[in-house]
Amino acid sequence: MGSSHGEIRTARAGIKLLLMVVFLGTLMMWIMMSTNTYSHKWLPYLRAKYNFSKFFGVQGVTLLIYTFPILFIAVSACIYHHLGKKLNDYKLESTDGRKNILTLWKKPMLVKGPLGIVSGIELGFFVMFIALLIWSLSNYLHNSFAHITPQSAAEEVEKVWQAKLDSAGLRLGLVGNICLAFLFFPVARGSSVLPLFGLTSEASIKYHIWLGHIVMAFFTAHGLCYIIYWAVTNNISEMVKWHKIGISNVAGEISLVSGLALWATTIPRVRRKFFEIFFYTHYLYILFVVFFIFHVGVSYACIMLPGFYLFLVDRYLRFLQSRQRVRLVSARVLPCETVELNFSKAPGLSYNTTSIMFVNVPSISKLQWHPFTISSNSNLEPEKLSMVIKSEGSWSKKLYQMLSSPSSIDRLEVSVEGPYGPASTNFLRHDTLVMVSGGSGVTPFISIIRELIFASSTIKCKTPQVILISSFKSSSDLTMLDLLLPVAGTPPDLSDLKLQIEAFVTREKQPATENSKRPQAIWFKPKATDAPITSILGPNSWLWLGAIISSSFVIFLILIGIIDTYYIYPIDHNTNMIFSSSIREFLNMLFICISIVATASAAVIWNKKQNTMEAKQIQSMEGVTVGGSSDSWFYNGDTELESLPHQSVVQATNVHYGERPDLKRMLFDCQGSSVGVLVCGPKKMRHEVATICSSGLADNLHFESISFSW
């Protein structure tokens, strides 16, 4: 086992080194793209040496420079993550907590402001990205303005400032395309690229927000420049032209208007008060991207293609998974207007702590999908997946009312997407783990505590001291602590886990004695067609994802090569002046969709057949019947759902009434050379904890915020 792990680590190190070289090479091309060296020397050389024009059209070189390297990184990352799953060694995650430069850079640098909580690493990358945009724009403007003279302007029957306005408008669009190239990476939930940087999609949404604002700022400025230019040069009729060859102005305007409508709903006040409008208008991204490609042409669109290509693969896989109704076995209704949903899960499905699942209940809304933290642990509960839903928004309130009503239902149709979460966790590297939560923010920590229980009782490895600091509004909310320990099987052994719970009830001076309700259990009768939750691509999902990305791209190249060679080239002969640009762009988009749909569908169908065969084998061995006594993993002898909380949790809990936690004192009192501080709750709480950890008064505090902006 040791030699096998050594070989895996060596292979992963080699892959990571290769990916770093490819990434740096791609980054260099982005830096040089705005220079004369690139446009006058490198690009003509590449076009002359690697003339793909007959086979892949005008986008051949762009595919080679910008698309292929990123997709190569994505496919190689899939192999890297697959090998990482084979390690599964808790000792690998454990360190002595010694300080290093990377740890210092992970501390919050900015806490309050438009960017929210920003670590040193994030701030560094953000500054470098802004520097890239400034460098590119200044280079573009300097090189283009150098060729604008009174004589050249007079030849075009315009003034110098008008010529510069025209040139500036074009260059603003070019820089906006740089931002657009990165826009879709954070929203590919099953991305193989984000985990390379230690990121998850839900934690990267803020990058998508930043990039979205920058993209629309540049594209809006781009559009305004041209509208003003056409107006002052008496060419306003250009706004309604869709040229057969080259740039289509109408397509650009449709794309911009779609983007502006989408952008308007992202204003925080609008998004909070009218979330459904925000949610539905985001589907305008389809019009935005499609007409953007019609506007700029397929060759230039290949620069932003990699991120959007990976997003399309992810989006189609999510669509396929969402078609299946999953087996909801039971629910636990708590007095604090909270429900725990318990699903049947395929034993082969594993996920890490703090993972999330997107849920759709058609009887409430056929279109709305909402993310919730998974509270169960795939090691402790191999056949069960649970999530906790607090009644806060309109959707969750309808769900709670449906489940808590006297006339309870016997079946609830549910579809899911996911789970999505970090590729690995490193909680064991700390001496002490402090988890600070507010209200329903305790739910991500349930899975962490269960993982530590598994590590201490089953793996028998050293675990950190765990301090859970939870704030609740009322004493009824304390019932959420009942969910800390799993109900399944043998009660977990907490003797090796040093757990301390400090619960604060802020709006009550003393325990409530009246109307104390116990959790209510609801058992459902799933249909035979309801399936256990399983990975859409099976246990080897990373390898299948890499196969889909690579094979679909190869199929796309073959299709576009055939159509260019035998249809477009005989008509156009590489002049790019005869064959319609719009038809060319439509064919490229069509072939991308065909390639992704064909390969992803084949992979999903294959894995679905394998899952069905395995399920039948398990049923024949264990005599499982749907919705019957087979779901005994919810029982432990005569112990039912209502028997919680476990006595061990009660003994570890100190309840404080009528006060708020003194977080500064409690964090500074934590012992150990490395104290991990996780926080999930209201924005004010996250900012307070981040400020304490970044104050420099305690070097052993290592901050990590768990917040979901979906």
Side-chain angles (χ1 to χ4, degrees), residues 453-614:
I453 292 172
F454 173 78
S456 62
S457 61
T458 306
I459 305 297
K460 299 297 182 183
C461 68
K462 182 181 178 182
T463 56
Q465 178 186 2
V466 180
I467 302 174
L468 175 61
I469 305 172
S470 294
S471 296
F472 301 105
K473 292 180 180 180
S474 62
S475 55
S476 65
D477 293 333
L478 290 173
T479 54
M480 294 193 70
L481 297 177
D482 297 352
L483 306 175
L484 287 178
L485 300 183
V487 188
T490 305
D493 181 14
L494 297 183
S495 59
D496 296 325
L497 182 66
K498 294 172 285 187
L499 175 63
Q500 175 186 347
I501 302 174
E502 302 293 335
F504 293 81
V505 180
T506 59
R507 296 186 180 180
E508 294 179 5
K509 298 293 184 181
Q510 57 187 4
T513 56
E514 298 180 357
N515 299 325
S516 58
K517 298 180 181 179
R518 296 183 63 83
Q520 174 192 356
I522 301 173
W523 300 92
F524 299 108
K525 298 177 181 178
K527 286 185 177 180
T529 54
D530 293 343
I533 295 177
T534 184
S535 172
I536 187 67
L537 294 176
N540 296 317
S541 56
W542 285 121
L543 290 182
W544 278 105
L545 179 61
I548 291 171
I549 295 171
S550 56
S551 59
S552 63
F553 188 63
V554 169
I555 292 173
F556 163 69
L557 293 179
I558 292 173
L559 291 176
I560 205 65
I562 292 173
I563 202 73
D564 273 320
T565 303
Y566 297 104
Y567 178 50
I568 298 178
Y569 182 77
I571 298 174
D572 197 81
H573 296 286
N574 288 345
T575 62
N576 298 321
M577 298 298 294
I578 302 174
F579 194 83
S580 170
S581 299
S582 298
I583 296 178
R584 187 195 299 266
E585 286 131 20
F586 171 77
L587 290 173
N588 275 265
M589 289 187 281
L590 177 64
F591 290 152
I592 287 175
C593 294
I594 290 174
S595 303
I596 292 174
V597 168
T599 52
S601 298
V604 170
I605 291 172
W606 172 269
N607 279 282
K608 193 172 183 179
K609 287 183 178 179
Q610 295 296 112
N611 291 334
T612 303
M613 291 173 57
E614 292 175 5

Side-chain angles (χ1 to χ4, degrees), residues 271-289:
R271 181 167 58 89
R272 284 193 297 267
K273 290 187 176 182
F274 308 100
F275 179 79
E276 292 189 9
I277 295 177
F278 161 80
F279 179 81
Y280 295 131
T281 53
H282 250 63
Y283 284 103
L284 288 173
Y285 79 86
I286 300 172
L287 291 179
F288 175 78
V289 173

Side-chain angles (χ1 to χ4, degrees), residues 11-23 80:
R12 278 165 57 91
I15 293 173
K16 204 163 190 177
L17 179 62
L18 174 62
L19 296 186
M20 187 177 296
V21 172
V22 176
F23 174 74
Y80 178 84

Side-chain angles (χ1 to χ4, degrees), residues 654-691:
N654 297 317
V655 183
H656 310 267
Y657 289 92
E659 59 179 301
R660 297 181 182 276
D662 185 351
L663 294 175
K664 188 172 184 180
R665 177 187 60 78
M666 299 178 78
L667 290 176
F668 285 166
D669 286 346
C670 293
Q671 303 298 317
S673 59
S674 176
V675 178
V677 181
L678 309 179
V679 58
C680 184
K683 185 177 181 180
K684 185 178 179 180
M685 174 182 281
R686 299 199 307 270
H687 286 180
E688 181 182 358
V689 175
T691 301

Side-chain angles (χ1 to χ4, degrees), residues 412-466:
L412 186 65
E413 282 194 357
V414 181
S415 297
V416 299
E417 292 179 1
Y420 306 107
S424 62
T425 55
N426 55 0
F427 302 123
L428 295 182
R429 68 187 176 93
H430 300 294
D431 301 315
T432 303
L433 194 61
V434 182
M435 298 179 287
V436 183
S437 69
S440 60
V442 72
T443 52
F445 302 140
I446 297 174
S447 62
I448 296 176
I449 290 175
R450 293 186 184 184
E451 180 72 7
L452 294 175
I453 292 172
F454 173 78
S456 62
S457 61
T458 306
I459 305 297
K460 299 297 182 183
C461 68
K462 182 181 178 182
T463 56
Q465 178 186 2
V466 180

